[in-house]
Amino acid sequence: MVVEELSTRMVAAGNEVDAYNRKGHHVSGKSFEGKSNGNLSEYKGIKILVIPTFRNGNLNAFIYSVLATFRALFGHYDCIHFHAEGPCAMLWLPHLCGIRTVATIHGLDWQRAKWGGFAVKYLRFGEKIAAKYADKIVVLSKNMKQYFMDEHGRKVEFIPNGISKPVKRGTNIISQKWGLQKDTYILFLARVVPEKGLHYLIDAYRELNTSLKLVIVGGSSHTDGYIMEIKRKAAEDRRIIITDFVQGEELEELYSNSYLYVLPSDVEGMPLSLLEAMSYGNCCVVSDIAECTEIIEDKAVSFKKSNVDDLRDKLQWLIDNVEIVEVFKKEASSFIIGKYNWDVIVRETLRLYAK
């Protein structure tokens, strides 16, 4: 999503962009591999270079980073832009060859609960390499900007993600598939991984006095054990619907018609799903981590991170006070689209390249 938005706009502005893509399974699981083409050679003017790698989930990201970086050395690029801590582990190589580099750190991936052992060490190594060798580092939150100064003594650039005005839709597909109508459900839409805090939401939801359904949308990411636990908990309440990964018009309908959107994360970089939810005019409820509260300011509701009781109380308050929900909905879209404009963000990124 982020790379697509940046790249297509850069091409439209007259730049040449190559994007490196890892060949392998769909991010949301094998069952979705037919829903997207991982072998494109061109997309909206962007040249796509597909890098083969192992099927082993524990090694393919590492092998991809190595092979993609070696391939990029021969691309005659003015700048190579690395995204996320893992790929940055190879950033030293183009630096050694005198090629300018930019690194975007979307979040502290090593903090995510799904990683352990070698993966954590590798991700932290990637962060250190970026801090030491990248010509410019981009972070998505002011909190992360302070982290790099405290941890690495490194000044970085704050350039957040953006959002575009969406197309709002009625309840055609979601009514037929799930029996959902406007304002009849609470929406969770994110990867089903422990750090997104879905288990807090289910525990809080089961204590609510409400007829609203809880709709859980998202695929797993190396977290099959966690998703099985979520399905077990959800099976105990008939009001909970798990849709798995969705996209296209079905996704747009889910965003367009929810009563509340909830993101109870313990760890975030800059959550695009929150920007999307607000752009659709949702009343949003988020944990009070800095990466979320920086985004919402006073245009959404926050609760104490990891606190099921506080989450339950905030949700019940919003369920019981429709007029408050309507105020948040009325203000959310124009606020978030004005604050995070893709055209401005692309100009800032190109300015960074030019330096």
Side-chain angles (χ1 to χ4, degrees):
M1 170 67 175
V2 176
V3 173
E4 177 184 352
E5 293 288 351
L6 288 172
S7 299
T8 52
R9 283 171 166 80
M10 287 177 181
V11 169
N15 300 280
E16 294 182 16
V17 179
D18 290 359
Y20 286 74
N21 185 31
R22 182 172 64 189
K23 185 177 179 64
H25 293 312
H26 193 284
V27 67
S28 293
K30 295 179 182 178
S31 59
F32 298 98
E33 288 178 10
K35 299 185 179 182
S36 63
N37 190 339
N39 297 305
L40 290 174
S41 60
E42 189 273 341
Y43 176 76
K44 296 183 178 180
I46 306 161
K47 183 179 178 182
I48 307 295
L49 295 103
V50 179
I51 305 299
T53 185
F54 296 151
R55 289 286 186 176
N56 187 320
N58 296 321
L59 291 175
N60 58 12
F62 168 70
I63 297 299
Y64 163 73
S65 300
V66 173
L67 295 179
T69 302
F70 270 104
R71 171 63 181 80
L73 294 180
F74 302 96
H76 305 290
Y77 302 121
D78 297 311
C79 176
I80 301 176
H81 193 153
F82 288 77
H83 283 266
E85 290 178 324
C88 284
M90 290 300 297
L91 189 146
W92 60 271
L93 186 56
H95 172 82
L96 189 66
C97 296
I99 302 171
R100 298 297 185 182
T101 57
V102 173
T104 293
I105 306 298
H106 295 265
L108 301 180
D109 292 337
W110 53 268
Q111 291 183 346
R112 302 186 188 280
K114 67 180 180 179
W115 303 124
F118 170 76
V120 170
K121 293 178 181 178
Y122 176 69
L123 292 168
R124 297 203 73 162
F125 175 72
E127 178 186 306
K128 292 176 181 178
I129 291 295
K132 185 173 182 179
Y133 294 115
D135 291 291
K136 293 290 181 181
I137 296 176
V138 175
V139 295
L140 308 181
S141 71
K142 295 175 183 176
N143 182 58
M144 190 68 66
K145 187 174 183 179
Q146 188 61 49
Y147 168 84
F148 266 85
M149 178 55 69
D150 294 343
E151 186 73 15
H152 302 289
R154 175 69 193 261
K155 290 183 178 181
V156 299
E157 303 280 341
F158 168 56
I159 304 178
N161 290 326
I163 196 69
S164 302
K165 188 174 183 178
V167 176
K168 297 192 72 172
R169 299 188 180 274
T171 57
N172 181 23
I173 300 172
I174 63 173
S175 176
Q176 294 178 23
K177 289 184 70 172
W178 312 106
L180 299 173
Q181 301 298 329
K182 186 171 179 58
D183 291 335
T184 62
Y185 60 94
I186 297 168
L187 178 64
F188 170 92
L189 199 156
R191 288 175 297 114
V192 182
V193 292
E195 63 268 18
K196 294 293 183 181
L198 178 54
H199 47 291
Y200 306 135
L201 176 56
I202 292 176
D203 289 343
Y205 172 79
R206 291 169 64 180
E207 296 183 20
L208 295 176
N209 179 22
T210 184
S211 60
L212 294 175
K213 296 177 180 178
L214 173 60
V215 180
I216 297 169
V217 182
S220 66
S221 180
H222 305 290
T223 54
D224 291 343
Y226 179 72
I227 206 167
M228 290 300 295
E229 175 63 17
I230 290 297
K231 288 181 177 179
R232 184 193 65 76
K233 291 167 74 74
E236 298 172 1
D237 192 321
R238 293 184 178 180
R239 299 173 298 168
I240 300 177
I241 298 171
I242 299 180
T243 72
D244 220 325
F245 176 82
V246 300
Q247 57 188 348
E249 290 188 16
E250 185 176 355
L251 178 63
E252 293 169 355
E253 288 187 14
L254 286 165
Y255 272 134
S256 297
N257 297 286
S258 66
Y259 182 73
L260 299 172
Y261 168 87
V262 185
L263 186 66
S265 301
D266 285 334
V267 178
E268 282 292 350
M270 185 182 186
L272 271 174
S273 62
L274 175 57
L275 270 63
E276 290 173 344
M278 293 187 75
S279 75
Y280 277 89
N282 277 279
C283 176
C284 297
V285 181
V286 302
S287 56
D288 63 354
I289 58 176
E291 290 78 5
C292 288
T293 57
E294 281 182 23
I295 291 172
I296 65 169
E297 297 185 23
D298 62 348
K299 305 304 182 191
V301 176
S302 65
F303 71 95
K304 296 176 184 175
K305 168 190 163 184
S306 310
N307 190 317
V308 172
D309 292 340
D310 192 36
L311 174 57
R312 177 202 61 215
D313 292 345
K314 294 291 174 57
L315 291 175
Q316 191 68 63
W317 173 62
L318 291 168
I319 289 167
D320 295 340
N321 293 276
V322 178
E323 68 281 1
I324 295 174
V325 171
E326 289 303 315
V327 170
F328 281 117
K329 286 187 173 187
K330 185 178 180 180
E331 297 179 347
S333 182
S334 58
F335 164 77
I336 208 71
I337 293 169
K339 185 177 180 181
Y340 298 106
N341 183 287
W342 270 123
D343 292 332
V344 173
I345 289 161
V346 169
R347 284 200 298 270
E348 286 296 299
T349 305
L350 288 173
R351 176 189 60 81
L352 202 66
Y353 293 167
K355 285 186 176 181

